[in-house]
Amino acid sequence: MESMLGDAANRLFAQTCTPDVIRQAEQGQPPAQAWQACEDAGFADALVPESRGGAGLALADALPLATAAGRHLCPYPIVDTLLARAWLAHAGHAPAPRRDRAGAAWLAGIRAPGSGRQRALDPRRRRGAGAHRRTDLAAAGPRRNH
């Protein structure tokens, strides 16, 4: 078992990102039902702080979600969306109101032990060794395989 989040994402994407849905998306038909199921699960707000209605997961904790989206050829921009929503929330912008926040509340309950809610997004809140390192994607630069 990869993780509770990974297992839940795999189940959701297996049910909603079927070959027919992917073909239709390639032909220009938006996968509205699949996207709504992902929204309802709270995945798009996984990195948004709990105080702003999200799950408050750290960036590393959301990796199983991104992996599952890729594994199932998710035809909508879930990873882009969860990153954008996290960055917007971190900058102080309020998320769009949602009718149901049950998905985000569920995700908040499976946060990895010892991970800080904001650690991956705000280097000032990092704890422990390596707290001085920047964690944003721009600072990381390209990866080199040597």
Side-chain angles (χ1 to χ4, degrees):
M1 176 159 72
E2 187 177 324
S3 72
M4 288 176 62
L5 176 60
D7 292 343
N10 274 312
R11 279 192 306 275
L12 179 88
F13 293 138
Q15 293 170 359
T16 61
C17 299
T18 63
D20 287 337
V21 170
I22 294 168
R23 265 188 239 102
Q24 290 170 356
E26 288 174 345
Q27 295 170 359
Q29 297 174 355
Q33 288 181 324
W35 177 253
Q36 188 60 52
C38 188
E39 271 286 332
D40 292 345
F43 292 159
D45 292 324
L47 299 178
V48 173
E50 286 181 273
S51 63
R52 296 196 176 265
L57 298 181
L59 184 58
D61 296 335
L63 182 61
L65 173 60
T67 302
R71 182 178 297 124
H72 293 282
L73 304 175
C74 182
Y76 47 89
I78 182 58
V79 176
D80 301 20
T81 301
L82 73 92
L83 289 172
R85 287 185 182 181
W87 288 326
L88 286 169
H90 182 67
H93 297 282
R98 284 187 50 204
R99 295 175 303 191
D100 175 25
R101 290 286 180 186
W106 177 81
L107 283 174
I110 64 168
R111 192 168 20 92
S115 67
R117 298 176 199 277
Q118 294 285 321
R119 184 173 49 200
L121 297 175
D122 188 352
R124 296 169 295 185
R125 294 188 181 182
R126 289 183 58 127
R127 291 179 255 143
H132 64 283
R133 287 187 239 146
R134 290 188 59 189
T135 57
D136 60 16
L137 296 176
R143 281 198 169 175
R144 294 189 178 110
N145 295 327
H146 294 285

